[in-house]
Amino acid sequence: ESFMATMVAGHPPVFRWVKMLDEAFVPAVQEELAGTGHSMNFTGLYGGAIAGVGEELEAVEAGLAEIGICQSLFDPAKLAVQNVTYYTPFVSDNPRIVSTVMDDLHESDPRMRQAYTDNGVVYLGAPLALDDYLLMTNFPVDSLDDLEGRKIGAPGAAINWLSGTGAVGVSGNLTTYYNEIKAGVFDGVLVFASAALPSKLHEVAPHVTRAGLGAQFAGAICVNDDWWEGLPQEVKDALEAGADAASEWYIDALESAVDTAMTTMADQGATIKDASQEMRTSWAEGMDNVAQTWAKDLDALGKPGSEMLDAYMDAMRDAGAEPLRNWDEE
Amino acid sequence: MPRPETHGPALLRWLDKLTLGANVCGSVMIFCLTFLIGLDVAGRNLLGAPISGVPELVSLSIVAIVFLQVPQAFRSGRLTRSEAVLSGIAHRAPRVAAALESLFDLLGAIVVGAIVYATWPIFLRAWQRSEFVGAIGDFTAPTWPVKIMILIGGTLLVLQLLARILRRHLEEAK
Amino acid sequence: MTPFDIGLIALGGMGALVILGLYVPVALILCSFLGMWAIKGTPILAASMLGLAANDAIASYFFGVIPLFVLMGFLVSESGLGRDAFDVANALFRRVRGGLGVGTVGANAIFAAITGISIASAAIFTKIAVPQMRRHGYTGRFAVGVVAGSSVLGMLIPPSLLLILYGLLAEQSIGDLFLAGVGPGLLLAVLFALGVVGMAVFTPRFVGDLEEAEVEPLSRRDLLGKSLPILGLIGVVLGGIYLGFFTPVEAGAIGAIGALVIGSIKRTLSLGALWRVLVETGLVTAAVCFLIIAAQMYSRMLAFSGVPAEFGALAAEADLGRLGLILLYVAITIVLGMILDSSSIMLILVPLMLPIIQPMGIDLVWFGIVTVIAVEIGLLTPPFGISVYVIKSALAEEDSDLTLWDIFLGAAPFALLMLAALALVILVPGISLGLLGR
Ligand code: NA
Ligand code: NA
């Protein structure tokens, strides 16, 4: 039998999580399908061609596309519990661990998959982990005191990480950081290295501080559930194998991009420093426990906020992470 | 630009009043947005205290503003069109032109109706699942009010398109 | 019938319906709906696509500030600052044939440094310049043509939302792109000014009877009194952007508040006038944004049909060498510019082209400037030319005799001048890259 699948992503193909579809996902699925008597014809519609960033889930739910990059970071109301990492900073700076733990939680815990089911899609895999968030500023940072009164741009929920630092958290997004720092609207931003280099942020914010804010989960490949139900088992298996291949490809590519980013930014004159243990501790201790606020808000909406917060923190500790603050135990 | 006439059956007058009301709401929202951004800029620079959620509010309100204002924009002849061919036809065969105009209004009512039809489940989901924009802990705003405004504006536009057919008919009957 | 065929039919259908006189947004939505229905085989999915696009397509900060830029323009106009600016421009260029046209171009170039969107410039100068130019003997067609043409400066001279979009797609420094836009922007402004003077001298019938447009010179005192407030406003907006007090996106709101303050101080802005301006802003915003929503639906339908991807692949596969490839790319961009909006074209073409041109060693900043100029020609070309549509919906009551085709015709010479500027930018990379020292 022959199948058609439209793949949707709001970002253009220069982004790693879009590139992984054509580079790893599709070839792996085709390889798995070879000899099964089934075939699948993929069309990728990316970069806002049919849906913008954060609209992919809706497009897959409506059936406009069969497969999509579902962005939990940009769709925080629909994929609420998936945003658990953004409410628990200082847990792990290792994207591979975050990726594995989140994937396992999705596989093993139906409460995690419920958010997808509620929205008419199925979680397929390939978590989009983002590397450790850095503080990049146009002034040197030695302690938290240096942040007093500075305007720091941060995306979505990450703005909460600035509470208690004395910095003025301003909601922003990657697309305009460069200009806003250059013009002085921001004095710095919270951003991850693999995105900072392509945006050349180190040109305008050359002081890079690694404070261990943490690697994050931003989304995954999802599939329209009616379409999924109608697929033969061999095809489902092939798609899952494809997602595993994409996941592997993605995390390898991410890690090498982080290495390149760090070396290149340093070569081009950026100062890269690890924050002192003292600064990290006082940052983490000084924050509001926004994880609890978030979890209780979700509980009130009938979503398993507190339960998934506990499950995630436990799984991370089991995986060897050493959280600077145990958000679930307060 | 043709000036909207104010006479006609009571039903049409009520429709026009509602359309104007929606238009007023949209204009007030533009005014508020201007000052919201102004206050955000001032707060950020002068007090080190930006207003949370301004980008989210701006992106939500633009959709509401457009749908609340578009019925009045249509009523006052602002929707873009090229009248050259149509007025040529009207010169030679006024009845054909009138029929064509009515067909166009009907087509408009159908496609805008399709938008309203497809927005209804989007509104229901936003309402039942308490969908929001922003980030918990910083700023959140529910999205359902905007969906309602899309429904209101879209419905008014459909009615105005149909009313235009009715008005044309009444005009001819006179 | 393949989706590709359906896409082609939808293209032809849109053009035909627009010419027949169907409302342009309705024509776009109708073709999107029928096209999606034909491609996906169900009207329900087609309606879902319309619904999602209506809800999402303009729900962003960038589109959110359109009404603010428009409001700023109308307040500038209503508080008398616009009239003052043109009195000054007319006095400065009074010895030049077509001086007021040159003034329009110059004023647009200055405004381009404040605004990031061409449609804001178009809306502003329709209110300010068209009535003034007609009062001074210019033909309506030429007056709207100058405004349409010079509005494109808004997205070439930084700040520019289109350059920001390109920078994101091509991973190029937005700062570099902005610098690279300055040279071509000024070149285009000069070409437009020379074009205005040339047309005034050689095609007086097109430009109008300027003999009667004798203007009294302004006294030094009047000159200062009329130019200081507007220069002050521009200074506040530009200074605020470049000192980092606000973003180019926020500038619309600050400009509007500034114009409001100046109007109140000059006592030229009554409460009634303020309300009128707000309503007017709403109607123009609605007309423009509804059009953008419809255009996005259309672009999404076309993406499903695969037509734009096929066009791109055509350029990709043709083995033409550097210059040939660029020329083919420009040609495709201009053709798409007739039927799609600027951001849709860039979203479709740039990702397709990058993998082909990168190995050829083509400078991506230069390529971005070429792309933006080519895309912006589409603002002026029928049947879908958004600057022209904005001007049509922003025309004052007394100018509403001007038809859409008057504006397209008036803008045509400026589209040709843009082609000339584009050719120069392609042949002499220094125009764009000079400021970057490349
Ligand atoms: Na500009
Ligand atoms: Na065009």
Side-chain angles (χ1 to χ4, degrees), chain A residues 261-275:
Chain A
M262 285 303 192
T263 333
T264 313
M265 289 196 294
D267 288 348
Q268 294 180 358
T271 322
I272 300 172
K273 272 193 308 206
D274 283 322

Side-chain angles (χ1 to χ4, degrees), chain C residues 337-338 378-379 381 384-385:
Chain C
M338 294 184 177
L379 294 175
T381 54
F384 187 84

Side-chain angles (χ1 to χ4, degrees), chain C residues 279-438:
Chain C
V279 170
E280 183 66 20
T281 301
L283 296 184
V284 170
T285 303
V288 172
C289 290
F290 195 57
L291 200 57
I292 295 178
I293 293 175
Q296 295 267 338
M297 292 172 179
Y298 189 69
S299 155
R300 288 176 184 200
M301 180 275 294
L302 280 185
F304 278 105
S305 79
V307 167
E310 204 76 19
F311 273 139
L314 187 76
E317 282 157 19
D319 189 16
L320 295 168
R322 270 172 81 128
L323 188 63
L325 181 69
I326 295 290
L327 290 181
L328 180 63
Y329 168 72
V330 164
I332 290 177
T333 308
I334 293 173
V335 169
L336 285 181
M338 294 184 177
I339 47 174
L340 289 175
D341 72 301
S342 314
S343 50
S344 297
I345 300 171
M346 297 213 349
L347 289 171
I348 291 165
L349 285 188
V350 171
L352 276 169
M353 291 300 291
L354 285 179
I356 309 155
I357 60 164
Q358 240 159 346
M360 300 175 89
I362 289 174
D363 189 297
L364 290 185
V365 169
W366 171 80
F367 184 70
I369 303 295
V370 169
T371 301
V372 168
I373 302 176
V375 162
E376 290 247 287
I377 292 176
L379 294 175
L380 306 180
T381 54
F384 187 84
I386 208 153
S387 268
V388 171
Y389 290 178
V390 171
I391 288 170
K392 176 67 183 153
S393 55
L395 278 174
E397 193 95 13
E398 64 270 23
D399 293 320
S400 55
D401 55 310
L402 295 168
T403 69
L404 217 47
W405 299 105
D406 282 329
I407 312 177
F408 277 125
L409 279 173
F414 295 93
L416 290 177
L417 286 170
M418 287 183 78
L419 265 182
L422 182 55
L424 284 173
V425 170
I426 290 176
L427 295 174
V428 189
I431 297 173
S432 49
L433 300 178
L435 276 178
L436 297 172
R438 291 189 193 165

